[in-house]
């Protein structure tokens, strides 16, 4: 992730045929609406990458009292810090700049029941134990809190699954070769999805 960080946002936009932007805007709108009314609450952006989801929540009117971005990649966090804008708002609804933390989704360094909303963009798929990561997210959420997750999943249908895997392998290798001179730079995506859950399985894991 340190290697691909500088072009990661552009890659996800290209890889999803431009749909990534709309998906993130929708998730950010839901997150902003889920925060306590009138400002306040704690928003935790897990696997925050360059911080684009946290920034999108603010653009949608979300004004958390605390915005925490956590990622395991130093380079992703460096880019997130560079792109942060500090105070946002008109003075009455301003919120502090995001607190950026390097950490592991399997061991979130926050107390139990301390977070109002968790956003995750392409994160759970890259953990070694998805049920364990989900349990850790549930631990830090307040009762009635919200978990909003955006990801690519393994398709339920076998025919679509084969086409999907083929596209991921070929497109990932092409972009990796063109942008980084390394075909396997994005090879992890196809591998991670092959071992990942279907949407139906993920819904079941949340229950």
């Amino acid at each position: 992730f340190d290697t691909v960080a500088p072009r990661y946002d552009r890659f996800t936009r290209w890889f999803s045929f431009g749909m990534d932007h709309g998906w993130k805007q929708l998730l950010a709108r839901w997150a902003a609406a889920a925060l306590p009314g009138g400002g306040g609450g704690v928003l935790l952006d897990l696997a925050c990458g360059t911080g684009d989801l946290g920034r999108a929540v603010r653009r949608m009117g979300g004004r958390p009292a605390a915005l925490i971005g956590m990622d395991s990649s130093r380079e992703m966090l460096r880019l997130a810090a560079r792109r942060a804008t500090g105070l946002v708002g008109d003075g009455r609804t301003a919120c502090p700049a995001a607190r950026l933390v390097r950490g592991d989704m399997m061991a979130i360094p926050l107390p139990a029941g301390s977070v109002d909303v968790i956003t995750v963009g392409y994160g759970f798929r890259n953990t070694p134990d998805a049920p364990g990561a989900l349990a850790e997210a549930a631990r830090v959420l307040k009762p009635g809190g919200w978990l909003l997750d955006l990801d690519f999943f393994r398709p339920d249908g076998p025919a679509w699954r084969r086409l999907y895997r083929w596209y991921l392998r070929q497109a990932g290798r092409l972009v990796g070769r063109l942008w980084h001179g390394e075909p396997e730079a994005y090879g992890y995506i196809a591998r991670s999805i092959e071992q990942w859950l279907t949407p139906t399985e993920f819904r079941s894991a949340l229950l």
Side-chain angles (χ1 to χ4, degrees):
F1 286 101
D2 285 343
T3 299
V4 302
R7 292 178 171 175
Y8 183 76
D9 291 339
R10 197 192 322 171
F11 173 76
T12 54
R13 188 71 46 82
W14 181 89
F15 208 56
S16 64
F17 297 99
M19 294 184 286
D20 169 76
H21 177 71
W23 297 337
K24 287 183 176 177
Q25 294 303 300
L26 179 60
L27 186 145
R29 188 176 300 116
W30 288 342
L35 286 165
V42 177
L43 171 66
L44 172 61
D45 187 16
L46 287 175
C48 68
T50 62
D52 57 341
L53 268 179
R55 293 191 298 274
V57 172
R58 287 172 164 173
R59 287 195 298 272
M60 292 296 173
R63 295 290 181 264
L67 169 55
I68 304 168
M70 195 187 86
D71 203 282
S72 61
S73 166
R74 292 184 187 275
E75 186 63 17
M76 289 286 192
L77 291 173
R78 188 185 69 80
L79 289 172
R82 185 167 30 164
R83 297 176 185 181
T85 58
L87 294 178
V88 177
D90 58 10
R92 296 188 302 273
T93 59
C95 55
R99 173 189 165 203
L100 299 174
V101 178
R102 186 165 183 255
D104 185 347
M105 290 174 64
M106 303 300 301
I108 300 171
L110 292 174
S114 61
V115 175
D116 294 274
V117 178
I118 294 177
T119 56
V120 190
Y122 315 118
F124 286 119
R125 174 168 44 85
N126 294 304
T127 62
D129 175 15
L134 285 168
E136 182 65 356
R139 180 187 69 80
V140 301
L141 270 178
K142 294 178 181 178
W146 285 79
L147 169 65
L148 300 169
D149 177 57
L150 170 63
D151 211 330
F152 297 109
F153 290 88
R154 184 164 52 89
D156 286 296
W160 173 234
R161 186 182 306 165
R162 285 194 294 271
L163 179 61
Y164 192 55
R165 289 167 60 186
W166 177 86
Y167 168 72
L168 292 173
R169 286 195 299 270
Q170 301 306 317
R173 289 179 62 84
L174 174 62
V175 177
R177 182 181 294 109
L178 292 176
W179 286 3
H180 303 284
E182 174 49 69
E184 292 304 313
Y186 297 102
Y188 75 92
I189 295 177
R191 291 191 298 272
S192 66
I193 290 179
E194 287 172 1
Q195 300 170 16
W196 184 220
L197 305 174
T198 67
T200 302
E201 292 167 343
F202 186 75
R203 283 193 293 269
S204 298
L206 293 174
L207 301 177

